[in-house]
Amino acid sequence: MFFTRKIKENAPRKLLFIFEFLAVVLLLIYQEKIPDSRTILSAMALLIMVYLSNFILRKVSSGDNYIFQIATMLVSIGAIMIYRMDSLLGTKQLIWIAIGILFFYITYFLLKYIKIWSKLTYLYIAITYILFMLTLVLGQRKNGSINWIEIKGISIQPGEVIKILLIFIIAGFYSNYDKFKEKKYPSYIFLGVIYSFIGLLFLQRDLGMALMFYGIFICLQYIFEEDRKLILYNIGLFGVSSILGYFLFSHVRIRIETWINPWKFISDKGYQITQSLFALSEGGFFGKGLGLGYPHFIPLAYNDFIFSAIVEEMGIFTGIGIIMLFLILFYRGFKIGMNQRKKFYKILALGISVLFCIQTFIIIGGVIKLIPLTGITLPFVSYGGSSLVTSFIALGILQVTSEDLESKVKICEEENSNE
C-alpha cells in the first residue's frame, strides 16, 4: 500500500521531468547552430531547478503540492519558448525563475510561521498608497501607461506587488468585519479606499491593472459583503468608469477599434493582433514544430503574445493543454479556499485564485480577440521579472492556505496542555 502511494506521489514529478527533457532535446535539435555551453547549461539548470524545487516542497509542506507542479509546468513551457525566440532573454528568464522559486519559499515560511498577518490591514493600505505615489513620481510611461520604475537598469512594476497587497487588504477587512462594524459605514469607507486605488490606476492610465483590481474586489465582495446593495453600487461605478476610460484615453479607444475590426488597421495599430491571429491559425492542431514558426512577426511575442507564439509552434492542442492547466490551478485554488477553516486564509486563497483566473482570461481572451487587449502578462508563462516573481509569491500564499492551519494549531495546543 505504501509502495503504491509512493508511486502515485512521485509520478507527476517524474512525468514533468520527462516532458521538460524531451522539450529541451527538441529545442536543441532545431537550433540552427551547434548548441554552445550556455545553451546546454541553461537546459540543465531548468531541469534541475524544477525537479529539486518540487522534491523539496513535498518534504516541507503537507498542503496541496500539485499547484506548484502545475506552475512549474507552465514556467517550463514559457521558458523553452522564450529561449527559442531569444536565447539571451531565455537565460534571463531562468534567473527570474530561480528568484521566483526562492520568493515562493520565503513567502511560504513567512506566512506559515508568523501569525499576525490578519491584523495589519492599515499597514497594507499605507504601503499600497506609498507604492502608488512612487509610481506616479518616478514611473516611466510604456505603451501609454505609467506603471514602471527603473532603478539602475532594472525595471520594476509596483502594480504587481500592489495586486497582492489588495488581496491582503480585502482579507484583513472581511476577516475582522465585526471589529470594523463598530465604526460608522465601514463598508462604504472600504469601498472608497478600493476605488481610490482604481482612481490612481486611472491616473497612471493602467486600465488593465484597474480591471484586475475591480474583478478581484467584486468577486470577494460578492462572497463576503453583508450589505448587498454595495455590490450593485460597485457594478454601477464600474460601468461609469468604463465609459470615462473610453472617452478620456486615446489608447483605450484604439484597443476597442482594433478589437472590433483589426483588419482595417492591419498596417499600423491593428498589426499586433492580426499577426497574433495569423500565428494561431498557422499552428493548426499540432503546430509547425518548435523552432519552425515565425513568432518574431508578432511584436512582444515573448511577453503579451506568448500564447500565440506557443500555439503556432506547438499547436492548438498545446494551447488547450495550457488552458486546462490553468483551469486545474483555478479549481484547486477555489477548493483550497472552500476547505480552509480560518477566514483570513480562506479569503487569501479565494483572492489568489480569482487573481490567476482573471489575469489568464484577460490576456488569453485578448490575444484570440475575444475581448480587447489590455497589455498584461500570462502568469508563469510570459517573460518578465516582476510578473513572474509576484506570481510565485501568490502561489506561496496559496500553498500555505492549502494546509489546515487552524486544526494544526489546535492539535499543538492540545499536546501542550496534555504535557
Side-chain angles (χ1 to χ4, degrees):
M1 189 73 177
F2 172 77
F3 181 71
T4 306
R5 189 180 68 182
K6 197 72 175 174
I7 292 175
K8 288 181 180 179
E9 288 178 352
N10 293 332
R13 188 169 69 248
K14 291 178 178 178
L15 289 172
L16 176 59
F17 181 82
I18 293 169
F19 165 81
E20 290 178 338
F21 178 78
L22 293 174
V24 166
V25 170
L26 190 61
L27 178 62
L28 296 177
I29 290 172
Y30 280 113
Q31 287 279 329
E32 295 179 358
K33 56 184 180 180
I34 298 174
D36 55 14
S37 58
R38 188 182 72 178
T39 302
I40 295 172
L41 287 173
S42 298
M44 291 176 61
L46 177 64
L47 294 173
I48 292 169
M49 271 195 303
V50 170
Y51 188 85
L52 280 181
S53 58
N54 278 281
F55 178 80
I56 293 169
L57 184 63
R58 185 164 289 280
K59 298 295 182 183
V60 300
S61 175
S62 61
D64 187 342
N65 295 324
Y66 290 110
I67 58 174
F68 189 77
Q69 290 177 354
I70 292 167
T72 48
M73 180 74 166
L74 293 168
V75 161
S76 302
I77 295 171
I80 290 165
M81 192 66 210
I82 292 165
Y83 197 94
R84 171 263 176 277
M85 289 187 283
D86 189 320
S87 60
L88 181 60
L89 285 181
T91 305
K92 289 182 179 179
Q93 183 73 348
L94 288 177
I95 295 171
W96 285 119
I97 290 171
I99 294 171
I101 291 172
L102 176 62
F103 271 88
F104 167 86
Y105 279 106
I106 291 172
T107 304
Y108 171 77
F109 287 115
L110 285 176
L111 201 64
K112 182 175 181 177
Y113 294 110
I114 298 176
K115 309 296 183 182
I116 62 171
W117 302 109
S118 62
K119 303 174 183 178
L120 303 176
T121 308
Y122 291 116
L123 179 62
Y124 303 141
I125 293 172
I127 295 172
T128 300
Y129 280 124
I130 290 169
L131 289 174
F132 271 125
M133 293 302 108
L134 287 174
T135 307
L136 288 170
V137 174
L138 305 175
Q140 297 180 350
R141 188 179 299 279
K142 287 188 179 182
N143 301 319
S145 304
I146 305 172
N147 51 8
W148 291 90
I149 297 175
E150 188 167 329
I151 302 173
K152 294 183 179 180
I154 299 175
S155 296
I156 302 170
Q157 191 174 8
E160 293 290 337
V161 179
I162 293 171
K163 68 186 182 185
I164 303 293
L165 286 171
L166 174 71
I167 296 170
F168 272 84
I169 291 168
I170 297 171
F173 177 76
Y174 284 115
S175 62
N176 296 287
Y177 196 67
D178 291 336
K179 184 179 75 173
F180 285 110
K181 279 198 299 186
E182 296 173 2
K183 302 178 181 180
K184 287 186 176 180
Y185 311 114
S187 295
Y188 290 86
I189 294 171
F190 185 62
L191 183 68
V193 170
I194 299 299
Y195 269 87
S196 71
F197 297 159
I198 295 174
L200 289 167
L201 287 170
F202 263 70
L203 289 178
Q204 296 176 13
R205 301 191 178 190
D206 191 356
L207 302 190
M209 190 65 72
L211 179 61
M212 203 182 307
F213 270 49
Y214 173 79
I216 294 168
F217 180 53
I218 189 66
C219 288
L220 295 179
Q221 184 190 43
Y222 179 79
I223 298 170
F224 297 103
E225 179 57 56
E226 294 180 4
D227 188 349
R228 309 309 287 176
K229 296 194 299 295
L230 275 175
I231 299 170
L232 296 176
Y233 297 157
N234 204 359
I235 295 171
L237 287 169
F238 173 73
V240 172
S241 302
S242 301
I243 296 169
L244 284 174
Y246 177 81
F247 287 104
L248 289 176
F249 306 122
S250 59
H251 69 285
V252 175
R253 291 194 294 273
I254 290 171
R255 287 174 178 175
I256 297 294
E257 289 172 357
T258 54
W259 170 58
I260 294 172
N261 185 12
W263 311 105
K264 183 179 177 181
F265 311 100
I266 191 171
S267 60
D268 45 36
K269 55 190 178 183
Y271 179 79
Q272 194 176 36
I273 183 62
T274 51
Q275 292 303 313
S276 171
L277 296 174
F278 285 140
L280 291 168
S281 62
E282 281 291 314
F285 287 110
F286 299 100
K288 297 174 73 69
L290 192 62
L292 300 178
Y294 301 94
H296 55 276
F297 285 172
I298 312 172
L300 298 175
Y302 55 86
N303 198 312
D304 297 358
F305 284 82
I306 195 167
F307 183 79
S308 302
I310 290 170
V311 169
E312 181 184 10
E313 297 204 344
M314 302 185 191
I316 292 173
F317 285 139
T318 302
I320 293 171
I322 290 172
I323 294 171
M324 289 183 69
L325 284 172
F326 276 115
L327 287 174
I328 296 168
L329 181 61
F330 307 153
Y331 163 74
R332 298 191 79 89
F334 286 120
K335 186 178 179 182
I336 289 166
M338 296 302 292
N339 291 333
Q340 175 57 244
R341 300 178 184 183
K342 199 169 184 179
K343 192 172 184 180
F344 179 74
Y345 291 99
K346 177 188 286 288
I347 300 171
L348 283 184
L350 293 174
I352 296 297
S353 304
V354 169
L355 166 64
F356 285 145
C357 185
I358 292 173
Q359 189 169 345
T360 303
F361 173 76
I362 288 174
I363 187 59
I364 293 181
V367 301
I368 67 175
K369 210 179 84 66
L370 179 65
I371 59 174
L373 286 168
T374 53
I376 61 174
T377 56
L378 185 60
F380 301 109
V381 182
S382 296
Y383 173 79
S386 298
S387 173
L388 189 61
V389 171
T390 51
S391 293
F392 271 110
I393 289 172
L395 195 71
I397 297 166
L398 192 60
Q399 184 69 41
V400 174
T401 60
S402 70
E403 301 176 357
D404 194 349
L405 300 177
E406 189 168 299
S407 63
K408 288 186 177 182
V409 170
K410 287 180 179 178
I411 290 170
C412 291
E413 289 175 351
E414 289 174 2
E415 289 176 350
N416 292 333
S417 61
N418 290 335
E419 291 175 0

